[in-house]
């Protein structure tokens, strides 16, 4: 595979939080750990995405996002890992791990990660915005 068929991109968010309460702690999603006091871990993340063009009809995508999760198993850091077949411009098939379409509700995705506001909208922190990923086969 030629190097011009592979694109590697990354993104990072460094956030500093402070919570001073005996009853409340800061957590940016329901999947991440909660923190009290001063913390960089509570709101920082680091991501890497690889897109590979495997031919005229096939491509592959992989994305890892490192953040302070409650469950630290490796699969919780793997956001995307799929092979896509583009049958025509209106129909494609994906197999592997892909994101739920929660961006339709939250208007926020890790890819691009260029936001004009300091913090994504409140609904990003809801259960809908934290559903995560699915493993399987998808068509669109």
């Amino acid at each position: 595979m030629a190097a011009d068929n592979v694109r590697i991109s990354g993104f990072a968010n460094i956030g500093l939080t402070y919570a001073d309460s005996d009853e409340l702690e800061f957590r940016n999603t329901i999947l991440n750990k909660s923190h009290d006091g001063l913390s960089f871990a509570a709101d920082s993340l680091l991501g890497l995405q690889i897109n590979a063009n495997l031919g005229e009809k096939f491509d592959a995508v992989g994305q890892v996002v490192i953040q302070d999760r409650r469950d630290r198993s490796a699969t919780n850091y793997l956001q995307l890992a799929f092979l896509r077949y583009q049958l025509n411009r209106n129909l494609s098939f994906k197999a592997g791990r892909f994101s739920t379409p929660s961006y339709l509700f939250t208007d926020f995705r890790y890819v691009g990660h260029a936001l004009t506001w300091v913090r994504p909208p409140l609904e990003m922190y809801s259960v809908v915005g934290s559903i995560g990923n699915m493993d399987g086969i998808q068509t669109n």
Side-chain angles (χ1 to χ4, degrees), residues 55-68:
E56 188 176 314
K57 301 243 182 210
F58 285 97
D59 71 314
V61 176
Q63 184 184 85
V64 175
V65 177
I66 306 298
Q67 55 186 315
D68 198 18

Side-chain angles (χ1 to χ4, degrees), residues 47-135:
L48 177 71
Q49 180 166 327
I50 299 174
N51 295 66
N53 185 356
L54 305 175
E56 188 176 314
K57 301 243 182 210
F58 285 97
D59 71 314
V61 176
Q63 184 184 85
V64 175
V65 177
I66 306 298
Q67 55 186 315
D68 198 18
R69 297 280 197 189
R70 273 185 307 188
D71 181 355
R72 294 181 181 232
S73 61
T75 57
N76 282 335
Y77 300 106
L78 182 64
Q79 298 294 315
L80 302 171
F82 63 82
L83 178 65
R84 177 176 27 222
Y85 174 71
Q86 190 76 40
L87 182 64
N88 58 46
R89 69 181 219 169
N90 297 317
L91 183 60
S92 67
F93 300 93
K94 287 193 248 184
R97 173 169 280 207
F98 42 89
S99 296
T100 58
S102 61
Y103 64 89
L104 297 173
F105 300 108
T106 65
D107 203 28
F108 174 86
R109 297 301 308 145
Y110 287 125
V111 177
H113 208 57
L115 304 174
T116 56
W117 44 63
V118 173
R119 168 135 340 270
L122 183 60
E123 60 267 20
M124 178 59 200
Y125 307 116
S126 70
V127 175
V128 172
S130 300
I131 290 172
N133 305 303
M134 297 182 286
D135 297 326

